[in-house]
Amino acid sequence: MRLLDPGETQADRLAAFRAAHPAAEAAGWTYHVAGSGPDTLLLLPGGLRLGESLFCLISAFEDEYRVIAPTYPAVSTVAEVVTGVEAVLDAEDVSAVHVAWGTSMGGFLLQALLRAIPGRIGHAILANTTTPEGWGRDLPARTARLDRMRAMPERDLLALIRRQATEATSAGPFWTGFLAEAAALDTKAHQVAMAELALDYCARHYTPSDLDGWPGRLMIIESADDAGMDAEARRLLRALYPRAAPHRFSDGGHSPLATRPDEYALVVAAFLRACRA
C-alpha cells in the first residue's frame, strides 16, 4: 500500500495518476485500470460518477492489486449498471473480483451487484451509503426534484449543479477545484440519468437473508457526521447487513476518502488483510 509521500499533495497524485492511467473503454463504458496484481479490486464511485475521482484509493493499492474503477455513462436503471460492470470485467478478463467497494450511489449499485452476480464478488465494502428504503424515505421530494431537473434548460441545471458542488464539499480547496472541473464537463443527460438511477434503486426491496448463500465478508464504513446519509439511513444499512464489520469515522463527512485519504486507505487495507486470512 502506498500512502502520500512527505511533501506530496493530492494534486501531485492526481497529475501522476492521469499521466499513467488513461481511460479504457468497453461496451460504451469508460473505466480506469491500474496495477497487475493477482487479485482485483473493483471501485464504484458515487454520484460524481467518475472513476478518476477515486485516484487516491487506486494509487494506494495499485502496487498490490489490479484496480478497476468505472465511470458511469448516462444509464438510468440498475440492470444497465449490472450489464455494464460485467462488460468491463469481461474486457479485463476478470472472472471475479477479490473485493468490491462502493461509496454513496456506488454503494447502492454494489448492493444490486451482490444480488445479481454474487459469484463475481468475493468480498465487499459498503461506504457512506444506505438501503433502498433509506434513500426512498423522502421519495416524493426526490421524484419532484427529478421532474424539475428534466424541465430545466441544460445551462441552468449545470449552473445549479456547479454551485451545489462548490458549496457541498468541506474537503478543502483541492476537492472544491476537482468538483468544479468535473461539473464543467458534465451534461444534463448524465445528471438526469443519475437521478433516475437512484429512483430505480429505490424500487428494490432487499432483506437480510438475500446474501445467506454468499460466502464473502462484508464491511460497512460510515461517518458519524455524514449529512448525506443521516442516522436513520445508516441504521437501516446496518440492520440489513447485521454480520457486516463496522467502521465509523467520527468526523469524515459524506466523503471520508477525500477528507482523510491515508487513514481511509489503512482501514481498507486492514479489511483486505482479513479477507486474505
Side-chain angles (χ1 to χ4, degrees):
M1 182 181 60
R2 185 163 66 90
L3 303 179
L4 286 171
D5 295 327
E8 183 185 17
T9 67
Q10 293 282 41
D12 296 332
R13 182 156 285 194
L14 175 59
F17 174 84
R18 284 175 167 170
H21 305 302
E25 189 275 335
W29 281 57
T30 59
Y31 61 96
H32 291 278
V33 59
S36 58
D39 293 326
T40 298
L41 307 182
L42 173 66
L43 307 181
L44 300 174
L48 189 57
R49 73 179 189 81
L50 302 175
E52 180 187 74
S53 67
L54 307 178
F55 70 91
C56 50
L57 203 56
I58 298 170
S59 299
F61 291 104
E62 66 177 314
D63 291 344
E64 303 165 67
Y65 296 89
R66 177 160 50 162
V67 188
I68 298 173
T71 289
Y72 312 133
V75 293
S76 56
T77 68
V78 169
E80 290 175 288
V81 172
V82 172
T83 299
V85 169
E86 286 208 277
V88 169
L89 295 180
D90 290 344
E92 291 296 321
D93 196 27
V94 175
S95 59
V97 300
H98 176 55
V99 171
W101 171 95
T103 186
S104 193
M105 179 176 284
F108 298 175
L109 303 176
L110 179 50
Q111 292 175 75
L113 289 166
L114 282 169
R115 288 158 174 84
I117 52 169
R120 300 193 75 166
I121 300 173
H123 310 279
I125 302 173
L126 299 172
N128 295 87
T129 193
T130 189
T131 65
E133 290 80 6
W135 195 245
R137 283 179 297 142
D138 44 359
L139 192 58
R142 298 194 189 283
T143 302
R145 179 176 181 271
L146 174 57
D147 290 339
R148 290 194 298 272
M149 291 172 67
R150 288 169 172 157
M152 289 178 71
E154 181 168 42
R155 180 179 177 179
D156 294 346
L157 174 60
L158 295 182
L160 174 63
I161 296 299
R162 284 194 293 271
R163 185 168 66 252
Q164 290 175 337
T166 301
E167 293 171 352
T169 183
S170 59
F174 168 79
W175 282 106
T176 298
F178 184 92
L179 291 176
E181 180 184 341
L185 300 173
D186 215 339
T187 67
K188 177 178 177 177
H190 282 118
Q191 286 292 326
V192 169
M194 290 298 97
E196 291 172 340
L197 181 58
L199 289 185
D200 187 57
Y201 170 71
C202 290
R204 261 122 267 285
H205 178 66
Y206 297 152
T207 69
S209 63
D210 291 346
L211 301 183
D212 281 353
W214 180 66
R217 291 174 179 255
L218 185 63
M219 183 181 197
I220 290 175
I221 296 177
E222 63 178 37
S223 301
D225 61 342
D226 186 345
M229 301 293 171
D230 64 15
E232 178 62 8
R234 300 193 297 268
R235 185 196 68 78
L236 287 168
L237 188 71
R238 293 192 302 268
L240 183 59
Y241 304 102
R243 295 195 298 271
H247 182 87
R248 171 177 283 197
F249 288 93
S250 61
D251 58 355
H254 186 55
S255 184
L257 175 60
T259 57
R260 305 166 79 165
D262 281 355
E263 182 180 349
Y264 198 103
L266 290 169
V267 170
V268 173
F271 181 74
L272 294 176
R273 287 194 299 270
C275 291
R276 282 179 161 174

